[in-house]
Amino acid sequence: MMKFLKKEHLTRFFDAASAKMTVYVPVDSGKTTDYKAYKPGITVSRKLKTTRSAKDFFFPQTESLVEFKVNGKNIEIIDPRKEREDFAVFGVRACDVRSFAILDKVYLTDPVDTYYKSRRDHGLIISMACTRPAETCFCNAFGIDAAAPEGDVVFTETENGYAVEAKTEKGEAFLDSIADVFENAEDNIADESRTKIREIMAKLLLGNLDKTTFGGGKTEELFSRPEWASLSEACLACGTCTFVCPTCQCYDIKDYDTGHGVKRFRCWDSCMYSDFTKMAHGNPRLTQKERFRQRFMHKLVYFPENNDGEFGCVGCGRCLVSCPSSMNIVKVMKKLTEGENK
Ligand code: SF4
Ligand code: SF4
């Protein structure tokens, strides 16, 4: 059922929600916008997107997996995980919500990644429709509707407040638990806002990005294209694009010798790095061209090939604003579609 939250009652909503569980909200700090735990007095950002995506909540940058304590001939194995509590992430945009479906395909498919699953089970996604999409947005190229995000609870800004709707049982239970802050509303209360958002999205230049060159079954056609050489020349191998990307999911596992045992942890890795997937015999991708190609072939060919046509990009545009060399997935797609001489 649709509910309505008056603009002036937004703080009441956060106070009520954060009394139930930790609620993370986007907050501006200097040049970046990051999620922080809500507390009274905090100013929630009005910017379109956080600098890093909400994937950090489910797949953090570093994470302890297991500890081994050595005592003489005995080895004690310790699971460092603590009892997890419910939490909510507020203001997740449609592109980032879709990224969870992509991460789920990787981490919730057998063998299930129990570290990720536990966070997904305890996390509540409160999404927000994009009333002010940016020129760098192209979620619509991947079939995502910025006006009607997925999520457990969806907020849509209207003229004087927010239309609020639960999309899952978890979301329904959450809204019921803080029912006092809302008013009941007609089901069509968000329609006008949605229409405006879709009109803006339809005018964005990147929304028409041509995907026909890509998809499952295109490996042979694309792997040896000469354009990879010129495209990859700009790449500094800094890995920024992978770290801001909501769908990049690669990690490395390392052991840290504590002197009386070992702590095993995982941390994000990047296929743009020269030591990525390095094995005893060396690295299978010897040049930056090969590493660069891997990142885009994975998102545009290998992932859809293995996942019913779903691309490994959600068009969030973060790589368009973050790359120090102004290289990004849009340039790659356009170049490979138009050919070397364009
Ligand atoms: S952000 Fe740009 S320069 Fe850095 S690894 Fe990605 S494509 Fe290369
Ligand atoms: S490749 Fe770029 S636009 Fe696509 S999801 Fe990743 S950061 Fe966003």
Side-chain angles (χ1 to χ4, degrees):
M1 189 204 285
M2 189 68 87
K3 296 182 188 298
F4 179 69
L5 180 71
K6 284 186 183 156
K7 220 159 244 180
E8 60 268 31
H9 288 169
L10 191 58
T11 303
R12 264 177 67 185
F13 162 76
F14 286 127
D15 288 341
S18 59
K20 302 283 171 194
M21 62 183 83
T22 304
V23 179
Y24 293 94
V25 295
V27 176
D28 295 329
S29 77
K31 285 184 180 165
T32 62
T33 303
D34 312 297
Y35 285 106
K36 293 207 163 52
Y38 173 82
K39 52 183 187 212
I42 208 166
T43 305
V44 178
S45 173
R46 297 273 302 159
K47 287 201 182 133
L48 176 68
K49 264 188 293 262
T50 46
T51 308
R52 278 165 44 165
S53 81
K55 90 173 170 191
D56 297 36
F57 288 104
F58 304 97
F59 172 43
Q61 189 161 10
T62 57
E63 168 171 37
S64 283
L65 299 179
V66 64
E67 290 174 27
F68 306 97
K69 263 197 183 153
V70 182
N71 192 356
K73 288 189 176 171
N74 295 325
I75 298 178
E76 190 189 348
I77 300 173
I78 303 163
D79 186 339
R81 284 178 281 189
K82 299 198 171 68
E83 182 90 5
R84 205 168 286 293
E85 291 180 353
D86 289 346
F87 65 96
V89 190
F90 175 85
V92 186
R93 303 297 183 176
C95 51
D96 287 353
V97 184
R98 177 64 63 82
S99 76
F100 302 138
I102 291 171
L103 297 178
D104 286 355
K105 284 192 159 90
V106 177
Y107 288 127
L108 298 185
T109 304
D110 199 33
V112 169
D113 184 306
T114 53
Y115 298 85
Y116 175 85
K117 182 174 185 306
S118 149
R119 293 192 172 92
R120 286 290 275 141
D121 289 346
H122 287 276
L124 180 93
I125 307 296
I126 307 175
S127 60
M128 174 74 83
C130 299
T131 32
R132 290 175 298 280
E135 292 289 328
T136 49
C137 294
F138 54 106
C139 64
N140 45 346
F142 293 103
I144 298 166
D145 186 355
E150 296 148 3
D152 295 304
V153 173
V154 181
F155 271 57
T156 309
E157 193 169 351
T158 64
E159 206 176 324
N160 46 10
Y162 299 90
V164 182
E165 192 179 14
K167 291 281 185 185
T168 62
E169 274 178 31
K170 207 199 267 188
E172 192 91 50
F174 169 72
L175 290 188
D176 286 350
S177 73
I178 53 168
D180 288 354
V181 301
F182 302 110
E183 294 165 23
N184 286 332
E186 298 292 325
D187 279 347
N188 62 1
I189 187 177
D191 287 2
E192 199 182 320
S193 301
R194 286 182 186 149
T195 305
K196 280 189 195 154
I197 295 169
R198 287 175 187 139
E199 281 169 6
I200 300 172
M201 289 305 296
K203 287 183 197 150
L204 292 183
L205 289 176
L206 301 182
N208 296 324
L209 204 58
D210 185 357
K211 303 197 302 294
T212 50
T213 306
F214 309 94
K218 300 285 176 100
T219 302
E220 225 171 294
E221 217 171 288
L222 293 171
F223 195 80
S224 303
R225 288 281 295 270
E227 290 86 345
W228 291 117
S230 54
L231 284 164
S232 62
E233 263 172 21
C235 180
L236 306 170
C238 68
T240 305
C241 51
T242 36
F243 292 161
V244 296
C245 179
T247 67
C248 275
Q249 76 263 164
C250 292
Y251 60 83
D252 194 8
I253 294 180
K254 299 200 177 203
D255 285 351
Y256 173 71
D257 185 350
T258 61
H260 43 78
V262 166
K263 283 189 177 184
R264 180 164 295 167
F265 65 96
R266 69 172 163 190
C267 51
W268 290 353
D269 205 348
S270 171
C271 52
M272 296 298 213
Y273 292 160
S274 57
D275 62 353
F276 182 75
T277 60
K278 195 169 180 180
M279 291 167 274
H281 81 287
N283 195 324
R285 299 182 199 109
L286 295 174
T287 65
Q288 197 55 26
K289 182 189 100 171
E290 291 165 294
R291 299 189 273 269
F292 181 93
R293 176 176 61 194
Q294 167 62 23
R295 179 162 194 268
F296 296 103
M297 285 293 282
H298 185 213
K299 290 188 182 302
L300 299 170
V301 180
Y302 310 147
F303 198 86
E305 186 157 313
N306 295 322
N307 293 281
D308 308 316
E310 174 138 38
F311 285 90
C313 172
V314 292
C316 73
R318 283 188 181 84
C319 60
L320 278 71
V321 288
S322 302
C323 174
S325 294
S326 301
M327 181 42 67
N328 55 64
I329 195 164
V330 171
K331 284 190 178 166
V332 170
M333 289 174 77
K334 285 190 170 169
K335 180 65 123 182
L336 289 168
T337 300
E338 292 165 0
E340 184 69 296
N341 299 324
K342 291 275 174 143

